[in-house]
Amino acid sequence: PAILATAARAAPIARRRLRLPMLRLPMPIVRILLVLLALASPLSMAGGAVAGPFEDAQAAHSRRDYATALRLWRPLADQGNAEAQYALGFMYDGGQGVPKNYAGAAKWWRLAADQGHTFAQYNLGTLYDNGKGVPQNKAEALKLYHLAAERGNDGAQFSVAVLHFAGVAVPENRIEAAKWWRRAADQG
């Protein structure tokens, strides 16, 4: 009975409305505020591109829209973006949106490799290793593989191991080969 009495007294309080002062704004200001709110809303961005040109190029490439990817990556690569340079090298290597051109791939991978891009270093190394688009040069291949291997590229670590094992461009050294194979294997 005591709980029911307390609930009965509280009911009128719960039904009361909180009265706040109304802010009266002229209608043009309200419209401007609504437009600004709509522009700032993440939902308003869903229809258009919300990423930068690099991400837009990645999306185009994944859709196999190579012309768009090339159009978006080329200016970035020309400005020195190592990721875009690597991507263009990949496109030239695979003939994606451009004729297959190993020399073109080597050009772009060289630019990215000189900036420390490990995948570009490794891929450029494979071109030198196989003499595709560049003169075959096992010593240059080993140098590039080694740069990428030191920074953790497992493919480059494996290639360094193979060259040491076979004694190509370096004296045969199976202990050094085993060290590089272990590093590559440790990465899975």
Side-chain angles (χ1 to χ4, degrees), residues 157-188:
Q157 291 167 341
F158 184 85
S159 295
V160 168
V162 168
L163 294 176
H164 278 282
F165 183 83
V168 175
V170 291
E172 183 180 306
N173 185 337
R174 299 208 172 176
I175 294 171
E176 188 72 7
K179 174 185 98 172
W180 286 107
W181 274 323
R182 171 59 47 211
R183 282 190 182 182
D186 285 347
Q187 293 190 60

Side-chain angles (χ1 to χ4, degrees), residues 18-103:
L18 185 60
R19 293 187 186 249
L20 297 174
M22 288 297 292
L23 182 61
R24 302 265 183 213
L25 295 173
M27 191 50 103
I29 292 177
V30 171
R31 286 186 185 141
I32 291 170
L33 290 173
L34 288 173
V35 168
L36 289 175
L37 182 63
L39 290 174
S41 167
L43 292 176
S44 70
M45 292 185 243
V50 295
F54 185 84
E55 293 80 7
D56 290 344
Q58 281 181 312
H61 187 268
S62 68
R63 292 188 312 268
R64 297 181 182 201
D65 180 0
Y66 299 131
T68 299
L70 189 68
R71 180 178 52 78
L72 292 170
W73 272 328
R74 173 126 14 217
L76 296 173
D78 288 337
Q79 293 168 11
N81 181 307
E83 288 292 329
Q85 291 166 343
Y86 170 73
L88 286 181
F90 190 80
M91 291 181 76
Y92 278 93
D93 183 65
Q96 298 174 336
V98 293
K100 185 176 272 207
N101 181 340
Y102 294 119

